[in-house]
Amino acid sequence: MYEDRIRLARLRDKIMSAQDAATLFKDGMTVGMSGFTRAGDCKAVPLALADRARQEPLKITLMTGASLGNDTDKILVEANAIARRLPFQVDATLRGKINNGDVMFLDQHLSETVEQLRSGQLAPVDIAVIEATAITENGAIVPTTSVGNSASFAILAKQVIVEINLTMPLAMEGLHDIFIPTYRPHRQPIPLISPEQRIGTPFISIDPSKIAAIVITEKADSPSNVLAPDAETSAIAGHLDEFLRHEVKVGRLSASLQPLQSGIGTISNAVLHGLIDSPFRDLKMYSEVLQDSAIELLDSGRVSFASASSITLSKPTYEHVLAHINDYKSRLVLRPQEISNHPEVIRRLGLITINTALECDIYGNINSTHVSGTHMMNGIGGSGDFARNAHLSVFVTKSIAKQGAISSIVPMVTHVDHTEHDVDVIVTEHGLADLRGLAPRERAQIIIRHCVDPRYQGPLLDYFNDACKRGGHTPHLLEQAFAWHTRYAETGAMV
Ligand code: COA
């Protein structure tokens, strides 16, 4: 049974139920699970772990690549099974537990988690739980729709549980490129000089004797929940398209631009979608996640190659891609997130990065994570890896949130994820602020003029002008800098 899925015959004895596999977990363990933005997560073992945690004290530190699908975080947190969580999440129930202090959340740059693990700066992984398409003749693991941190989790863990997902086509083998950097202090350069290059193996090589359990599943990834482009996101896409055309016209970019990275969410998806009708050609993507828009760009021929760590798609696009995975394999590669997000590679390739801000301030600092400075939304994800090292770092946001009660451009951000030094361009539906080569006082005027919703433009200009009277390289009225946020908390509207 499962000869094609578990090709190392002796491992077939390890097949067991998720409930039996879950008996391996002990209270206080650190568990590394596969899964990156809803793709390639384990479908059965986490549920069995939650069942156990409902009956006995069993709390783990849970590490993943990024967010999980299938409500796994919600189910685990409701079962009281998570003590600590890293490095990213998007689940509303878990978010609540993080924000009331019940779950300790480590919000990390996605490229860094496994570096910290292998250097002993984080507690070692006791058990890795990895979704796989197959196990090879040598006991190596072929991942599914994401690689994330799976390779290093499996390599570093004391024991490995593999979930073989029968819905993943065997033809997925060859989609992945697993490269693990040489360990410090003898680190060598990562030999990746173009997005399409393969530098590793198509599977995760581990000592097969570490595989303690194999669980068979047949559940699909959760579909992505991005919304279709709307008037605002289409306008943002339009401004960026116009800007990029101008950069080509003046010779700062070629018609194939630079490799593109685009963040998660509805706005990023819409911005990439907007490139379908652009004049750019032979585009390449070097991103951490590919959403529907990336597949549309590949299908249209506008993008000739896409590299990422996961594919997170709507149901129809997911079914289409899995059914035609052989066609996509020559134009698509999935890498460990340490490599997709590696500062060395990002800087070398010279990426144009497009990420979403929760709020920006008039000087170009960006808050991607903390609502009103205190409450975690999702996490920084890969945005810091990309923005800091980009050739051109773009942040997009709608100019207002909550029907206009909130301005996304504020006097001072209440939490800084990306400093002014990592931000070249800000785009809202009203326009684009090109901040390159500008000092803070110049940046403020451009941002207020181009990006701010009309109802907030006057108050923001007043703030800036009053602050300038006091002086400073980056003028502020410290006693008023957060007045908009406190007013929102007290009255439900910022101004
Ligand atoms: N204050 C409070 N809430 C705000 C806000 C602000 N300034 N700006 C937006 N929001 C709210 C929206 O109202 C919306 O709330 P809802 O879910 O209750 O409707 C929510 O934040 C999401 O905003 P939306 O405009 O739909 O954008 P999005 O889906 O594109 O998500 C981020 C935006 C910033 C939350 C998301 O991109 C993110 O988590 N980024 C950090 C990680 C990252 O950038 N990774 C990049 C590499 S993948």
Side-chain angles (χ1 to χ4, degrees), residues 106-349:
L106 278 73
D107 174 23
Q108 294 191 312
H109 294 304
L110 294 188
S111 68
E112 280 190 354
T113 307
V114 296
E115 289 276 25
Q116 294 187 3
L117 262 181
R118 66 168 72 98
S119 61
Q121 297 180 73
L122 290 173
V125 177
D126 295 296
I127 301 184
V129 193
I130 310 295
E131 187 183 72
T133 303
I135 297 176
T136 70
E137 293 74 4
N138 297 321
I141 298 168
V142 179
T144 61
T145 43
S146 71
V147 178
N149 284 324
S150 299
S152 286
F153 286 163
I155 290 165
L156 297 169
K158 294 167 199 147
Q159 289 185 301
V160 180
I161 301 173
V162 179
E163 281 197 4
I164 301 270
N165 189 331
L166 301 180
T167 69
M168 298 292 169
L170 280 166
M172 269 211 172
E173 201 166 337
L175 176 68
H176 314 91
D177 185 54
I178 311 299
F179 177 88
I180 305 293
T182 40
Y183 286 13
R184 293 180 180 132
H186 302 295
R187 175 67 58 86
Q188 298 290 311
I190 297 170
L192 189 74
I193 55 170
S194 64
E196 59 270 48
Q197 202 183 338
R198 287 172 182 272
I199 57 172
T201 57
F203 40 69
I204 301 167
S205 294
I206 57 163
D207 172 2
S209 66
K210 288 205 305 185
I211 298 181
I214 299 176
V215 174
I216 308 295
T217 70
E218 290 190 70
K219 203 168 174 183
D221 287 342
S222 294
S224 82
N225 47 9
V226 298
L227 305 171
D230 58 21
E232 284 86 19
T233 56
S234 299
I236 292 170
H239 298 310
L240 192 56
D241 180 64
E242 194 185 332
F243 168 79
L244 292 172
R245 285 176 200 237
H246 178 73
E247 292 296 293
V248 173
K249 196 169 151 203
V250 299
R252 280 193 287 263
L253 289 172
S254 75
S256 52
L257 305 178
Q258 288 290 121
L260 298 167
Q261 175 265 339
S262 164
I264 51 162
T266 299
I267 302 179
S268 293
N269 192 57
V271 166
L272 272 198
H273 178 83
L275 289 177
I276 286 188
D277 299 321
S278 74
F280 313 122
R281 52 181 190 275
D282 193 23
L283 298 172
K284 305 235 164 77
M285 291 196 65
Y286 193 81
S287 205
E288 60 175 38
V289 55
L290 301 178
Q291 307 191 102
D292 280 22
S293 51
I295 302 299
E296 289 168 31
L297 287 165
L298 275 170
D299 289 347
S300 69
R302 191 70 60 199
V303 164
S304 56
F305 196 90
S307 166
S309 193
S310 90
I311 38 177
T312 302
L313 306 170
S314 65
K315 191 163 183 285
T317 310
Y318 175 84
E319 287 168 357
H320 171 81
V321 170
L322 288 200
H324 299 90
I325 195 71
N326 255 332
D327 302 339
Y328 283 102
K329 254 179 355 196
S330 59
R331 292 176 289 146
L332 199 59
V333 64
L334 298 184
R335 309 179 189 278
Q337 69 197 64
E338 174 179 28
I339 304 299
S340 64
N341 290 33
H342 204 290
E344 173 191 333
V345 179
I346 293 165
R347 185 64 73 95
R348 181 181 298 129
L349 297 182

Side-chain angles (χ1 to χ4, degrees), residues 405-461:
I406 292 174
S407 170
S408 306
I409 320 287
V410 291
M412 186 187 256
V413 286
T414 49
H415 175 94
V416 189
D417 290 295
H418 313 288
T419 71
E420 51 171 316
H421 314 285
D422 302 330
V423 182
D424 297 315
V425 171
I426 294 175
V427 197
T428 69
E429 71 277 22
H430 295 294
L432 180 146
D434 179 359
L435 307 176
R436 294 172 299 172
L438 300 184
R441 286 175 189 238
E442 296 168 311
R443 282 203 291 265
Q445 293 175 55
I446 298 282
I447 291 171
I448 295 169
R449 188 179 321 140
H450 293 291
C451 298
V452 175
D453 182 83
R455 79 196 89 165
Y456 289 101
Q457 234 164 1
L460 218 39
L461 204 54

Side-chain angles (χ1 to χ4, degrees), residues 36-37 88-90 95 110 227 261-268 288-289 341 354-359 367-372 377-384 386 395 397-398 400-402 406-410 418 485 488 494:
F36 192 106
T37 53
F88 186 75
Q89 59 77 44
V90 299
R95 186 180 296 141
L110 294 188
L227 305 171
Q261 175 265 339
S262 164
I264 51 162
T266 299
I267 302 179
S268 293
E288 60 175 38
V289 55
N341 290 33
I354 306 163
N355 291 290
T356 310
L358 268 185
E359 65 179 5
N367 174 7
S368 297
T369 55
H370 283 70
V371 173
S372 289
M377 177 61 96
N378 299 327
I380 192 168
S383 57
F386 287 102
F395 277 88
T397 180
K398 292 185 181 181
I400 49 169
K402 308 295 174 206
I406 292 174
S407 170
S408 306
I409 320 287
V410 291
H418 313 288
H485 296 88
Y488 174 70
M494 274 189 165

